[in-house]
């Protein structure tokens, strides 16, 4: 672990807090990011942005450039998707988390994103990670689906080495022998990363499980394990989604989810970073 020169903890209480505009990630309030896997249309995004912002959600995710296993699957609306994210952000005041797929797209995505997401498939793309070290916006670094914790922290080290210290780690499940779930959510990674690194860590139980019914339980487990937030996929019509519908929450269940996550956060001496108090359960 000796190569964790920049991401490693220098002392027991060493914790980084990442600023995203006037919001903080890694402080007492847990960050809650919700939104569709992919931006699909103006109507879809508007309905989701409206729905989540009414519940007090401050961060919206949505892929404009999608890394799909099949080259024939929906690849995202690209620049048009970025513009729709910006419109939704202007209309509802949500901060935008969106994926940047490669080095050539950093310049294009940069102005539209409050947090640039680096996907699991890019977690070992070292020349790309080095380029992300040169920008000044927060990076959400997903764990590679076959990365050990050390490899993942070294990926973050590449970004910090370039001068960008604003890295938020994201546990999104790993591939194991068990095919009954899409990925195996590594809950142990959360407290372990907290022991090893000062960087904040959030959880993505949507990619982490691939199954809607498991997203709330695994979000609760992640918060109990000390995560600094969760990112989940939500859709207005999951059955019609162009990607990851089977793991996307129904928009009309988000209110209940937020209430239970908030209760769990309070058990852990924290709270959820929302614009308003949710109704009590
Ligand atoms: C996503 O967040 O939609 C995504 C593609 O994530 P991952 O890179 O973790 O597979
Ligand atoms: Mn997805």
């Amino acid at each position: 672990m000796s190569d964790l020169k920049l991401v490693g903890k220098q002392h027991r209480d060493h914790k980084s807090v990442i600023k995203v505009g006037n919001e903080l990630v890694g402080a007492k309030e847990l960050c809650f990011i919700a939104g569709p896997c992919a931006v699909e249309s103006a109507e879809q995004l508007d309905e989701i942005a409206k729905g989540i912002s009414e519940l007090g959600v401050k961060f919206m995710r949505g892929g404009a450039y999608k890394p799909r296993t099949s080259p024939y699957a929906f690849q995202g609306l690209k620049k048009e998707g970025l513009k729709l994210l910006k419109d939704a952000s202007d209309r509802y005041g949500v901060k935008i988390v969106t994926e940047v797929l490669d080095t050539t797209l950093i310049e294009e995505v940069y102005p539209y994103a409050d947090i640039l997401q680096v996907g699991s498939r890019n977690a070992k793309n070292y020349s790309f990670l080095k380029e992300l070290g040169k920008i000044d916006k927060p990076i959400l670094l997903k764990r590679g689906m076959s990365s050990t914790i050390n490899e993942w922290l070294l990926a973050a080290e590449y970004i910090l080495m370039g001068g960008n210290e604003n890295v938020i780690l994201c546990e999104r499940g790993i591939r194991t022998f068990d095919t009954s779930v899409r990925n195996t959510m590594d809950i142990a990674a959360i407290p372990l990363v907290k022991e090893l690194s000062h960087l904040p860590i959030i959880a993505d139980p949507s990619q982490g499980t691939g199954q809607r019914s498991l997203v709330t339980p695994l979000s609760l487990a992640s918060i109990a394990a000390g995560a600094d937030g969760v990112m989940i996929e939500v859709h207005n019509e999951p059955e019609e989604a162009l990607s990851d519908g089977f793991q996307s929450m129904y928009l009309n269940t988000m209110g209940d989810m937020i209430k239970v996550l908030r209760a769990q956060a309070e058990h852990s001496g924290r709270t959820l970073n929302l614009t308003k108090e949710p109704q009590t359960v």
Side-chain angles (χ1 to χ4, degrees):
M1 294 283 174
S2 58
D3 279 348
L4 304 178
K5 295 185 200 308
L6 302 170
V7 307
K9 273 186 159 179
Q10 267 135 45
H11 53 86
R12 211 164 59 95
D13 299 325
H14 186 191
K15 261 179 81 160
S16 285
V17 174
I18 309 297
K19 282 204 181 89
V20 188
N22 48 3
E23 305 299 334
L24 301 177
V25 179
K28 188 180 176 196
E29 293 190 305
L30 302 184
C31 111
F32 184 72
I33 306 167
C37 178
V39 179
E40 298 170 7
S41 68
E43 296 69 33
Q44 174 239 22
L45 198 65
D46 186 77
E47 200 173 324
I48 296 170
K50 181 169 188 289
I52 63 173
S53 64
E54 280 173 1
L55 295 169
V57 175
K58 293 185 178 180
F59 295 90
M60 182 169 73
R61 61 152 290 146
Y65 286 91
K66 292 303 301 174
R68 303 305 298 281
T69 304
S70 167
Y72 304 109
F74 176 60
Q75 304 285 307
L77 296 180
K78 307 191 169 89
K79 181 87 182 218
E80 183 54 29
L82 292 173
K83 288 185 186 153
L84 293 175
L85 286 166
K86 171 87 172 63
D87 291 348
S89 166
D90 290 345
R91 221 168 312 131
Y92 299 107
V94 283
K95 295 205 181 316
I96 301 299
V97 183
T98 197
E99 179 160 355
V100 55
L101 275 189
D102 60 47
T103 302
T104 64
L105 290 168
I106 295 175
E107 206 175 310
E108 181 176 317
V109 172
Y110 180 93
Y112 294 94
D114 295 291
I115 300 178
L116 288 91
Q117 178 175 326
V118 176
S120 189
R121 290 154 189 81
N122 267 319
K124 290 188 181 176
N125 186 343
Y126 300 119
S127 57
F128 178 42
L129 297 173
K130 279 186 195 169
E131 290 302 314
L132 293 164
K134 296 179 186 165
I135 67 174
D136 58 2
K137 280 195 180 174
I139 307 293
L140 183 69
L141 179 64
K142 296 274 197 111
R143 179 177 182 178
M145 58 188 80
S146 63
S147 292
T148 64
I149 288 172
N150 192 45
E151 286 167 342
W152 180 23
L153 292 175
L154 287 169
E157 187 83 20
Y158 269 98
I159 302 174
L160 268 75
M161 219 175 70
N164 187 356
E165 297 182 341
N166 305 302
V167 174
I168 302 161
L169 299 166
C170 181
E171 165 60 40
R172 51 78 71 205
I174 50 174
R175 280 222 171 150
T176 66
F177 58 87
D178 196 341
T179 51
S180 40
V181 278
R182 185 183 189 188
N183 290 294
T184 296
M185 187 82 188
D186 185 4
I187 297 291
I190 296 166
L192 184 53
V193 161
K194 290 249 159 239
E195 283 181 21
L196 298 171
S197 175
H198 56 90
L199 295 174
I201 175 168
I202 70 165
D204 175 351
S206 304
Q207 323 300 324
T209 63
Q211 192 177 315
R212 180 182 307 120
S213 64
L214 303 180
V215 173
T216 299
L218 271 294
S219 297
L220 291 170
S222 301
I223 293 173
D228 295 297
V230 289
M231 175 163 85
I232 61 117
E233 290 182 342
V234 57
H235 200 284
N236 53 332
E237 288 177 304
E239 287 79 12
E240 306 299 320
L242 297 179
S243 67
D244 289 354
F246 41 85
Q247 65 192 33
S248 299
M249 303 288 292
Y250 289 96
L251 196 48
N252 64 10
T253 63
M254 289 290 304
D256 286 344
M257 182 190 198
I258 287 173
K259 284 177 219 162
V260 294
L261 296 195
R262 185 167 182 271
Q264 182 62 52
E266 285 178 356
H267 272 294
S268 309
R270 303 180 79 174
T271 184
L272 277 195
N273 188 5
L274 301 167
T275 59
K276 59 173 91 158
E277 292 284 302
Q279 307 299 305
T280 48
V281 198

